[in-house]
Amino acid sequence: YLLCASGDFVKVYSVSTEETLRLMGGHADLVTGIQLNPHNHMQLYSSSLDGTIKLWDFMDGIPIKTFTVGSRLLALYTLASAEESVFVVIPKKGERDTFQLVSVKLTKGAGQDLEAKELSVVLDGVGASMKHIAFGREGAYVVSVKDVNLQVYFFKRKLLNRFSLSTIKTKGGDNRFSCVACHPTEDCIATGHADGKIRLWRNFHHRKEYTYSTLHWHHDIVMDLTFSVEGTRLLSGGVESVLVQWHNESSCQKDFLPRLGSPIEYISMSSDGALCCTLHTDNRITIINSNLRFSRSIQGLIKSRDVKTGLVVDPRTKALVLNGEPGHLQFYSLQSDQQLFSLDIVQRQYIHQAGLKQSDLVKVAFSAQGTWLATVEESEEVTDPELQLKLWFYSEETQSFKLNTRINTPHDNHITDMCFRDMDELGDDSLILVTTGRDCVFKVWVMVEDTDPEAQPSVSWSCDFVGSYHNYQATNCCFSEDGSLLAVSFEETVTVWDSLTWDLKCTFCHPPGNIRNICFGRLTCSKYLIGATDYGFLCCWNLLTCALEWSAHLNIVVLQPDPLSEHIAAVSWLSKESSLFVFKPNEPRPVYIQRNLCKEKILLAAFVPRDEPEVISSEKYLWLRKSQLFFLTDTQELMTLSTKSLEERLTPSSKQLAVEESLPVTPFSLLLGKHRHQQAQEDIDLGKPVVHNKQEQASPAVKELLHTPAHVLPSASFLCTIFINSLLISKEKKSAEEVADEVEMESEKAEDDSDEEYVAAVEQEDTSHMELLGEMTCKLSKSQEKELRKIRKTDYSWISAF
C-alpha cells in the first residue's frame, strides 16, 4: 500500500494496480503529516491544520482515536522509543512566523475523542516544513535546519548543539538549508542546500570538532533527501526532474534516473527498501524499484502555471479537460481521481527557462458528440503573438485525437473565445466553429471536402464568413440550443445573428461596462439570453420581445449553464469571498444561494453530466439531480458542491464497524438460501406455523464483535456483558387490557357447544381460503374475539319483518 495526504483526506493506493483503495476523511482542514504507528504497522497517525491528530486503521479505513491538540499542526513525526508520544510542529504563541517542535502525550481513555493538552517543547525556532526536521538513529537525537543554522538536540544528555554556515554568497554558492535526513544506523546527517550541494555531517556531538564532506551534482536547490533502509545509499532530487542515487557517500559513485517529468518535491522509501516513491510538483507520484528502474506512476490533476483553456467537459469520457503540462491538454477522470491521458497540442519541446517566450495552449472546444476538438495556441508575445488554430478528429481505431487541419494566424490578434454548433438532425453540414478575436471580427469555420479526385476522400476546415460590429473587439460567443442563433458580444453590446444567413437580427446593451459572459437559456427557457457585465450587472433579455426581462446588481465572474436543465450557475466575487447563485432565466428569484462558498476566488466552473440521475431528498439540491457542479479556484483547487452532509460523506470511515447486509453472493450461499426457501415453503403448504428466530435479526452488538478487526476491539471483559445481553430473549409483558380480556374469557367458558363448533367451523373455512391465496391467517386478539361473540349472540330476527 501507498499512503498519501491529499487535501483534507488520506488516500490509500494499491502499489500494484495504482487504484485508490480507500479515501479516509474526517479532518476539517489540510492534512499536514502522516506517519505509520511504529508499534502497529496496520495503523496510521495523521495531523492537520484543524489541530487534531487521528489514529487510523488504514486497512479498513476506520478512525480509532482522535486527539485534540488545539494548535495548528504543521508537521508530524513518530518514534519507536516514544511509546505514548508523537512529535508535532506548532506555531509559537505570541510570535509571528516562529515555530516549535513539541512532544504531545497521547492520553489513554475510553471513547474515540480525547484531549491531548500535555505538550513539552523540544526545539525552538524550527522550520515549518516537514523536510526541515529529522530524527537520528534509534531516536537518540533530533536535527532541525532553518536558513543557515543547524540544531542537534540529544534526548538523553539534554544537550543542544548549534552550527552555522556563512551567509555570504560567493561564486554562486548559497548555504541556506533546504532539507535534512539522518542515517538509520550511523551518526551521520545529510543536509541539502539552495545551491545544489549536499553536506554530510559527522562528529556533531562536539560543537567545534564536527566535520562535513560535500557532494555536488544538482545545479539548483536540493528539494529532498532520504537514506535507504540499510543506509548504504542516499537519494536526492530537485528541479532537474532527476533522481540521483549516491553510493557509500562518494561523489564518484552515483546513478541517475532522468526525465521524470517535473521537479521532485518529496522522496520516500518503503519499509523493506524494495521500492521508493517521488512526489512531483505536477501532482504526480512515481514508484521506482530499488535498482532505480521506473515501475508505476499515479497522476492526479496537474497544477499548471495558468488555466487559460477554462474547464471543459469531454462528451465522450465525461472527463474534465484543461491545461496540463506546458503545451499539453490533460483529460482528468473525476471518478478515479486520476489522469486518463495527456494530449500534446503544441508538439514542441518546452524549455524551463525564465523570460523565454514560448507557445502555450489558450483555448479548447469540443463538438457535441466529442468527435471534433478545436485548440488555439499562441506565443506569450503581447503585441504580435503567433497564433495557430488546430482541428483534431477522434479516431476510433487509435482511440485518440488526430490532427486534421492546422490554420496559421486565424486572427490578427488574440483569440478571445470559440464554440461549436453541432446539431445531429442536420447531419455533418451543421457542424460549424466560430472564433472571436481582438481584431474586431468573428469568423465562421466550416468543413469542406477535398476536391482532388486522385487523393483519398478527406475533409478539412476553412473560413466561410467574417462578421464585425462597429469595429468593436469581439469578446464572447455562444450558440442557442437549437443552433439557429449565434450571440457575439462586442465590448458593451451583444449581437444576435442568424446562423443560416448570417444576418444581424438584433442587439442588446446594458451600459456601463463591457460584456464579460453570455449564454442562452435551455429547454423551456430557450427564449432568454443571459449576460454579465464587468460593472456588476447580471442581465436577462427576452429574444421574442427584444427587451430586458430583468437585471440584478451582482459582480458575476463565472456564468455556467447546465446542459441538461434550465438552471444556470453564477458565481460572484465580492468582499474577498465567492458566492454561488443558481437560477432559471424565467424567474429572477434564485432557486439556490450559497454565500461565502469559499475564501478563494473562483475562476472557472463546469457542469458534468451524471451517469444516472441522483436521488435527492432535499428540494434545496434538486437542481443537481442530473449534473454535478465543479469549481476551480485561483489557487487551482478543484472543488465540487455535494448534496450530502459532511457526516454522510464520512460514514464509510466512522460507521463501518458492522459489515453491510449486501455481501457478495457465493454459490454456497445461493444453494443454502434456495434450500431454506424450499423448506419454509413446504412448512407453509403443510399448515405449520412459521417460527421466526429472534436471533436471526442481527444484533448490532454481535455484528460489532464478529466483524470489527481484532486489533481495534476493546477488552473481552468489556464486551462480555453486551454480548450476553444480546443473546437473551426479552420477556413479553402483557398489558392490563389483555389480562382483563383473559378473565372475561374464562367466565364465558360455559357457552353452548353449538357456538364453539360454529366458531371452529368458521375459523377452519377462513383458513382454507387464506391457504388458497398463499397467505397466513392473521390471528385475532382476545378482545376482538369477544366482540365477535357478542355480535353472534345478537338477535336479528326482527329484520325479517322488512
Side-chain angles (χ1 to χ4, degrees), residues 162-376:
R162 289 189 176 91
F163 307 96
S164 297
L165 297 175
S166 173
T167 58
I168 301 175
K169 299 179 181 180
T170 57
K171 297 181 180 179
D174 191 346
N175 292 328
R176 288 176 299 157
F177 290 97
S178 58
C179 54
V180 62
C182 292
H183 199 285
T185 58
E186 301 176 4
D187 289 335
C188 176
I189 300 172
T191 58
H193 298 265
D195 58 1
K197 293 179 181 177
I198 300 172
R199 288 182 169 87
L200 299 174
W201 301 71
R202 292 186 180 275
N203 203 24
F204 44 81
H205 298 81
H206 308 282
R207 293 186 178 179
K208 295 184 178 180
E209 298 177 3
Y210 68 91
T211 60
Y212 64 77
S213 57
T214 303
L215 307 175
H216 197 183
W217 179 86
H218 299 277
H219 82 276
D220 210 329
I221 184 172
V222 180
M223 303 287 282
D224 201 13
L225 292 168
T226 189
F227 280 96
S228 63
V229 177
E230 308 85 5
T232 57
R233 296 173 292 126
L234 175 65
L235 299 174
S236 64
V239 297
E240 303 87 2
S241 308
V242 177
L243 183 65
V244 185
Q245 181 174 260
W246 308 83
H247 295 274
N248 300 320
E249 305 171 12
S250 171
S251 59
C252 300
Q253 299 179 10
K254 54 182 177 289
D255 298 319
F256 304 96
L257 180 60
R259 293 183 293 277
L260 290 179
S262 61
I264 299 172
E265 277 195 316
Y266 291 93
I267 306 172
S268 179
M269 291 288 300
S270 62
S271 56
D272 59 358
L275 297 171
C276 83
C277 71
T278 56
L279 177 64
H280 300 261
T281 55
D282 64 351
N283 200 23
R284 185 178 74 254
I285 298 174
T286 304
I287 302 173
I288 301 165
N289 293 324
S290 58
N291 58 358
L292 224 60
R293 298 289 181 184
F294 173 84
S295 176
R296 295 182 182 277
S297 177
I298 301 172
Q299 177 68 69
L301 183 66
I302 295 178
K303 185 176 181 180
S304 60
R305 295 178 304 165
D306 189 11
V307 183
K308 301 176 182 178
T309 60
L311 282 184
V312 186
V313 180
D314 179 14
R316 302 180 64 87
T317 61
K318 295 181 181 178
L320 277 186
V321 181
L322 64 161
N323 290 95
E325 299 176 32
H328 289 68
L329 203 59
Q330 63 170 323
F331 290 71
Y332 171 71
S333 171
L334 296 163
Q335 289 76 22
S336 62
D337 188 26
Q338 292 188 21
Q339 187 186 95
L340 294 180
F341 63 94
S342 179
L343 183 63
D344 188 1
I345 301 296
V346 176
Q347 297 178 346
R348 296 180 188 174
Q349 181 66 37
Y350 187 83
I351 302 173
H352 293 272
Q353 183 176 342
L356 190 62
K357 304 296 183 182
Q358 302 181 75
S359 295
D360 201 3
L361 189 61
V362 293
K363 297 294 175 186
V364 168
F366 283 93
S367 62
Q369 303 301 318
T371 54
W372 286 94
L373 166 67
T375 61
V376 175

Side-chain angles (χ1 to χ4, degrees), residues 20-275:
T20 305
L21 301 180
R22 288 170 195 86
L23 184 66
M24 301 188 298
H27 285 292
D29 208 334
L30 186 71
V31 177
T32 55
I34 54 173
Q35 294 287 341
L36 288 176
N37 185 352
H39 308 289
N40 188 341
H41 287 285
M42 298 297 177
Q43 296 178 356
L44 175 82
Y45 285 107
S46 66
S47 65
S48 169
L49 293 179
D50 63 4
T52 62
I53 299 172
K54 288 184 179 290
L55 177 63
W56 303 86
D57 171 18
F58 66 84
M59 298 294 291
D60 298 313
I62 300 172
I64 304 170
K65 297 282 185 183
T66 299
F67 303 94
T68 302
V69 181
S71 301
R72 297 170 69 244
L73 309 180
L74 303 172
L76 174 69
Y77 310 89
T78 57
L79 279 182
S81 57
E83 295 186 2
E84 300 178 358
S85 299
V86 296
F87 297 87
V88 294
V89 175
I90 63 173
K92 190 174 182 179
K93 292 183 179 180
E95 297 185 26
R96 190 177 179 181
D97 297 332
T98 305
F99 306 96
Q100 295 175 316
L101 176 67
V102 299
S103 172
V104 180
K105 186 175 182 181
L106 304 179
T107 55
K108 292 184 177 181
Q112 196 175 16
D113 297 324
L114 301 172
E115 296 283 335
K117 301 294 185 181
E118 191 175 336
L119 310 179
S120 57
V121 179
V122 179
L123 279 176
D124 261 330
V126 300
S129 172
M130 187 177 178
K131 297 182 288 186
H132 292 168
I133 295 176
F135 287 83
R137 61 177 181 88
E138 300 177 357
Y141 54 90
V142 60
V143 184
S144 168
V145 295
K146 186 179 181 182
D147 296 330
V148 292
N149 301 311
L150 182 143
Q151 299 182 86
V152 184
Y153 179 76
F154 300 91
F155 289 100
K156 288 185 178 180
R157 297 193 295 167
K158 295 184 179 180
L159 176 66
L160 177 62
N161 286 345
R162 289 189 176 91
F163 307 96
S164 297
L165 297 175
S166 173
T167 58
I168 301 175
K169 299 179 181 180
T170 57
K171 297 181 180 179
D174 191 346
N175 292 328
R176 288 176 299 157
F177 290 97
S178 58
C179 54
V180 62
C182 292
H183 199 285
T185 58
E186 301 176 4
D187 289 335
C188 176
I189 300 172
T191 58
H193 298 265
D195 58 1
K197 293 179 181 177
I198 300 172
R199 288 182 169 87
L200 299 174
W201 301 71
R202 292 186 180 275
N203 203 24
F204 44 81
H205 298 81
H206 308 282
R207 293 186 178 179
K208 295 184 178 180
E209 298 177 3
Y210 68 91
T211 60
Y212 64 77
S213 57
T214 303
L215 307 175
H216 197 183
W217 179 86
H218 299 277
H219 82 276
D220 210 329
I221 184 172
V222 180
M223 303 287 282
D224 201 13
L225 292 168
T226 189
F227 280 96
S228 63
V229 177
E230 308 85 5
T232 57
R233 296 173 292 126
L234 175 65
L235 299 174
S236 64
V239 297
E240 303 87 2
S241 308
V242 177
L243 183 65
V244 185
Q245 181 174 260
W246 308 83
H247 295 274
N248 300 320
E249 305 171 12
S250 171
S251 59
C252 300
Q253 299 179 10
K254 54 182 177 289
D255 298 319
F256 304 96
L257 180 60
R259 293 183 293 277
L260 290 179
S262 61
I264 299 172
E265 277 195 316
Y266 291 93
I267 306 172
S268 179
M269 291 288 300
S270 62
S271 56
D272 59 358
L275 297 171

